[in-house]
Amino acid sequence: MPHVPTAQHMEIDGAGLSPRSVAAAARHSGGGTRVTLSASAAERMRASVGLKESLLAQEVPMYAVTTGFGDSCVRQISPDKAHELQRNLVLYHLNGVGPAAVPEVARAAMLIRANALAKGVSAIRPQAVSTLLECLGRDILPLIPERGSVGASGDLVPLCYLAAALIGEGQALHRGTVRPALDALRDEGIEPLSLAPKEGIALINGTSFAAAYAVLAASDARELACVAEIATAMTLEALHGNASALHPFVHANKPHQGQVKSADAIRTLLAGSRLATSFDDILVRREKLAGRSFLQLNERIQDKYSVRCAPQIIGIVRDTLDWTESWLTTEINSATDNPLFDVDESGLHLGGNFYAGHVGQSMDSLKTAVAGLANLLDRQLALVVDEKFNEGLPPNLVVARDPDDPEAGLHHGFKGMQIAASAVTAEALKHTGPASVFSRSTEAHNQDIVSMGTISARDARTVNGLVREVAAIHLLALAQALDLRGVEKASPAVRAVHALIREHSAFVTHDRRLDQDIEAVIGLIETGSLRRAAGIGDDEFAVD
């Protein structure tokens, strides 16, 4: 996970939450991020509860309050059973499967759910949301199985584990230790929640689990775009590449903002380089050699697409992130349960805001764009290790031996690393299949079309992890190539990245295991250390 500046105190009102602030709170481990309800949010929530109680007193039928759920909405529930109905709703959905979501996902889901309820249209008491926020602040995290949601009616199964922890059911991760949720609540002095009518469905009927994965995936993808730009700059230096393709004139004539920004970033990273070349450099060399033709010089005047088109490829990620984060901002500041209560008009509205279609569509697009980074970096790596394309570097980046030496073929350097990167790239590309098209009819055909948004968002997280692995392998190869090329001639930014990598991985002089080196560089990417070494600050990740 990348480094994200952390807010120590947040106030939520159902409208002002940003994806970056969610990532900041979610990635602040061990508690310590205090989140409170604004006074205006609490007032709106109390008003919606008052409307609900008034409608109950009038015996107005209310879905999920005085009726069953889904296709059972035709079955009436007596008011004296309304509390039991909410508890049963939570219990019968505790059927998730797969590994538990990592703590940062649980934290993000808790914060997003609280903010959705803070809009004040869900008829849930302020103290119920305050209990949720108290658990977040004291690091009592629900153990939520990753699988079981189809993205409508929202994330029923995952969010039931969130609700279960609040009522003291099941297990929770408390300050890093798995224990009974009830024990964790008692140790922190938190009273287990007793669900009032509508509060069970208010807690579980929404897109908050999908959105949690999505906002974190978007943050990770932004980090990976920076890393891909760093790797591209290093590739240009390792291959004596032609930096003319980065010229502002080129990108001003196809001004997609992400592409323009990426070209500018790579150009900045190369400032001061004595390894990367340009078209002007080629003309100067030609002039010095008495006007001999390019063919006579055997001069390569432009690079292969994986180098020349890097800004166009990385730019797609950047532009996808811009609209994705806009959609996610709307999603995490929306009321996503059902029914909703209109206090101003004393009305009750049945709808479908729990449908996570925007999350699914955005994550299907983002994971495809990010997987393209794996393809880009894998192709760059293939050029760097191949003596046919690497401008005089030794094959597989191992110092060449005399062909007559009986041990000339003893060491193979980065040959295996390129194979591994190619395998991981293929796996990343495989995960780009759109999950949002795989709607299933569920719950006796009440949920007859669903978003699969949670699966899309989980896929995006998976793709990010695979791309990090490819990037780490490539960066290790690039550090090796620059040592062979003469890293002292690299740009200051690239030299700083090289020095950081060398703190964790020594120059490869002979065949040795490199899996631990890969893990070390993955860690540098996750924490943002590699990006910061290149002089790229945290501005893109700053809390709004």
Side-chain angles (χ1 to χ4, degrees):
M1 73 196 73
H3 166 80
V4 182
T6 303
Q8 293 299 308
H9 175 251
M10 300 170 59
E11 185 177 79
I12 58 173
D13 60 4
L17 198 60
S18 72
R20 294 179 189 182
S21 61
V22 173
R27 285 173 164 159
H28 188 258
S29 62
T33 300
R34 181 169 170 262
V35 185
T36 55
L37 275 171
S38 72
S40 59
E43 182 179 352
R44 289 193 304 271
M45 294 173 73
R46 283 189 289 268
S48 71
V49 170
L51 175 57
K52 174 194 67 179
E53 291 174 347
S54 173
L55 295 174
L56 274 171
Q58 298 172 50
E59 298 186 351
V60 173
M62 284 184 281
Y63 172 74
V65 180
T66 59
T67 75
F69 308 109
D71 70 330
S72 297
C73 64
V74 297
R75 297 183 174 92
Q76 296 298 306
I77 306 297
S78 62
D80 63 322
K81 297 289 186 183
H83 291 77
E84 184 179 350
L85 177 69
Q86 299 302 306
R87 183 178 177 85
N88 288 349
L89 171 67
V90 173
L91 296 179
Y92 89 77
H93 278 106
L94 295 177
N95 46 36
V97 293
V102 296
E104 65 181 37
V105 171
R107 292 190 192 97
M110 294 167 78
L111 177 55
I112 294 168
R113 193 79 217 116
N115 191 63
L117 298 173
K119 292 194 75 67
V121 296
S122 300
I124 185 171
R125 295 166 297 158
Q127 55 264 45
V129 174
S130 294
T131 298
L132 171 58
L133 294 176
E134 189 74 7
C135 288
L136 176 61
R138 295 176 182 272
D139 218 37
I140 301 174
L141 307 179
L143 285 181
I144 308 175
E146 286 188 334
R147 295 193 282 274
S149 175
V150 294
S153 297
D155 293 311
L156 295 177
V157 170
L159 292 180
C160 272
Y161 286 83
L162 181 155
L166 299 183
I167 65 176
E169 288 284 341
Q171 302 288 100
L173 184 69
H174 180 212
R175 301 191 185 277
T177 301
V178 176
R179 54 196 306 234
L182 186 59
D183 291 349
L185 293 173
R186 286 173 172 167
D187 283 359
E188 294 289 351
I190 300 173
E191 185 70 24
L193 189 62
S194 178
L195 297 172
K198 178 60 171 57
E199 290 187 342
I201 197 164
L203 285 165
I204 75 167
N205 190 205
T207 64
S208 305
F209 192 62
Y213 275 102
V215 297
L216 295 170
S219 180
D220 290 349
R222 193 168 291 281
E223 188 78 43
L224 288 168
C226 294
V227 170
E229 286 155 359
I230 294 167
T232 296
M234 296 174 74
T235 299
L236 275 156
E237 295 201 295
L239 296 177
H240 286 321
N242 188 339
S244 297
L246 304 171
H247 197 285
F249 178 84
V250 174
H251 303 281
N253 281 282
K254 191 182 181 184
H256 292 296
Q257 288 305 300
Q259 174 182 327
V260 171
K261 185 171 185 177
S262 186
D264 181 65
I266 300 168
R267 197 167 55 246
T268 300
L269 289 163
L270 286 171
S273 173
R274 290 181 287 140
L275 291 174
T277 187
S278 70
F279 190 69
D280 289 341
D281 294 333
I282 296 170
L283 294 179
V284 168
R285 286 197 296 276
R286 180 173 181 264
E287 186 175 324
K288 286 182 178 178
L289 292 170
R292 292 164 64 191
S293 72
F294 290 127
L295 290 176
Q296 288 173 308
L297 289 171
N298 193 28
E299 188 78 70
R300 174 174 50 81
I301 65 171
Q302 64 181 19
D303 297 311
K304 296 195 177 344
Y305 286 12
S306 61
V307 180
R308 193 177 0 141
C309 300
Q312 287 83 351
I313 295 166
I314 303 169
I316 293 170
V317 177
R318 291 197 170 279
D319 286 333
T320 301
L321 278 167
D322 284 346
W323 66 261
T324 289
E325 291 185 346
S326 174
W327 279 16
L328 292 178
T329 299
T330 298
E331 192 74 29
I332 65 178
N333 289 290
S334 298
T336 56
D337 65 306
N338 177 56
L340 300 178
F341 294 77
D342 182 350
V343 173
D344 293 337
E345 301 293 334
S346 297
L348 175 71
H349 298 281
L350 301 171
N353 283 357
F354 44 66
Y355 187 83
H358 283 81
V359 176
Q361 193 70 42
S362 64
M363 289 298 103
D364 277 349
S365 297
L366 184 63
K367 72 187 183 187
T368 301
V370 174
L373 297 182
N375 204 37
L376 172 73
L377 301 178
D378 175 59
R379 293 301 83 207
Q380 290 178 355
L381 173 62
L383 297 177
V384 170
V385 301
D386 193 331
E387 62 184 313
K388 297 188 295 295
F389 305 107
N390 66 12
E391 298 294 310
L393 291 170
N396 301 305
L397 306 181
V398 178
V399 176
R401 294 176 177 272
D402 184 336
D404 296 327
D405 186 335
E407 295 186 352
L410 184 61
H411 297 284
H412 293 79
F414 283 76
K415 183 188 287 287
M417 292 279 270
Q418 193 278 320
I419 294 171
S422 187
V424 177
T425 297
E427 188 167 347
L429 296 172
K430 178 181 73 69
H431 279 283
T432 61
S436 56
V437 301
F438 285 96
S439 177
R440 315 293 301 158
S441 184
T442 64
E443 211 260 317
H445 302 292
N446 177 61
Q447 303 173 16
D448 60 347
I449 185 165
V450 296
S451 73
M452 295 298 182
T454 312
I455 296 174
S456 296
R458 284 175 39 230
D459 280 348
R461 181 184 180 90
T462 298
V463 168
N464 283 337
L466 294 167
V467 175
R468 269 195 295 271
E469 293 170 2
V470 175
I473 292 171
H474 187 29
L475 288 163
L476 285 164
L478 289 167
Q480 181 85 0
L482 289 170
D483 278 323
L484 294 167
R485 191 68 84 188
V487 71
E488 70 280 358
K489 293 180 284 187
S491 73
V494 167
R495 288 201 305 272
V497 171
H498 174 274
L500 179 63
I501 293 172
R502 282 289 168 256
E503 289 177 14
H504 299 269
S505 174
F507 180 79
V508 178
T509 59
H510 59 280
D511 286 348
R512 62 177 176 85
R513 68 182 302 168
L514 289 167
D515 51 352
Q516 295 169 335
D517 302 62
I518 296 170
E519 284 300 318
V521 177
I522 288 172
L524 297 177
I525 296 171
E526 286 182 327
T527 60
S529 299
L530 190 126
R531 167 178 51 81
R532 289 191 293 276
I536 304 171
D538 292 326
D539 293 350
E540 288 196 64
F541 305 91
V543 175
D544 298 337

